[in-house]
Amino acid sequence: MQAALREAARGGQKGEVPIGAIALYKGRVVGRAHNIREKSHDPTGHAEILLLRKVSKKLKSWRMPGLSVYVTLEPCLMCLSAMQQAQVSQVIFAAPDPKKDSSFHRMEIIGGVSSRESAELIRHFFKKLRLKKK
């Protein structure tokens, strides 16, 4: 966690919210990142997302079982979801996020538009993929 705190401090020195993350794989640090949302004007510029991008390139895989992520603030839903999709084995955080239970932005969500066509594209893709493997 001390390495993640140092990474957070680096981000803070650059005018970013000081959140840092490191990744351990087989006992070795394989990546580190801090927030870059302000500099990059990117809403996905969270330390955890950037960390996953770096580690996936290093491991040459988007699947990361066996990876432990240390982060200085409790991850948001986007970051947790990304780590779940990446099959990260463990997430360890320092401070709880005081805003996690409050939804400060509401948006309208509309689902089911062109659902049959979309489902057919996905079915066709995986059918083709299975045929290639045979």
Side-chain angles (χ1 to χ4, degrees):
M1 191 59 76
Q2 293 303 309
L5 288 165
R6 286 190 296 276
E7 192 63 31
R10 276 191 208 99
Q13 291 168 351
K14 297 175 183 177
E16 299 288 344
V17 175
I19 299 171
I22 65 155
L24 261 62
Y25 184 70
K26 296 184 179 179
R28 294 183 41 234
V29 174
V30 292
R32 59 186 74 234
H34 56 267
N35 277 17
I36 62 162
R37 287 183 0 161
E38 301 304 322
K39 177 184 172 190
S40 66
H41 310 290
D42 180 356
T44 67
H46 291 205
E48 302 94 324
I49 300 295
L50 300 168
L51 181 71
L52 292 176
R53 289 176 183 159
K54 288 178 181 181
V55 172
S56 68
K57 285 181 182 173
K58 190 168 195 167
L59 299 179
K60 295 179 174 48
S61 177
W62 62 266
R63 295 176 183 92
M64 301 175 206
L67 192 76
S68 294
V69 173
Y70 289 76
V71 61
T72 58
L73 183 68
E74 182 177 7
C76 70
L77 289 174
M78 173 183 69
C79 293
L80 280 173
S81 181
M83 289 186 278
Q84 184 179 38
Q85 289 292 316
Q87 303 170 6
V88 168
S89 294
Q90 189 177 40
V91 178
I92 302 100
F93 67 87
D97 184 354
K99 296 189 308 181
K100 81 169 186 188
D101 292 328
S102 65
S103 182
F104 51 89
H105 176 76
R106 301 251 185 237
M107 72 182 101
E108 182 180 8
I109 300 172
I110 301 168
V113 178
S114 300
S115 63
R116 276 184 297 187
E117 295 91 332
S118 178
E120 186 55 37
L121 281 171
I122 293 168
R123 271 193 297 275
H124 179 71
F125 173 82
F126 283 109
K127 183 178 181 181
K128 205 166 141 183
L129 191 63
R130 284 189 295 274
L131 290 173
K132 280 184 183 179
K133 289 184 179 182
K134 288 184 178 181

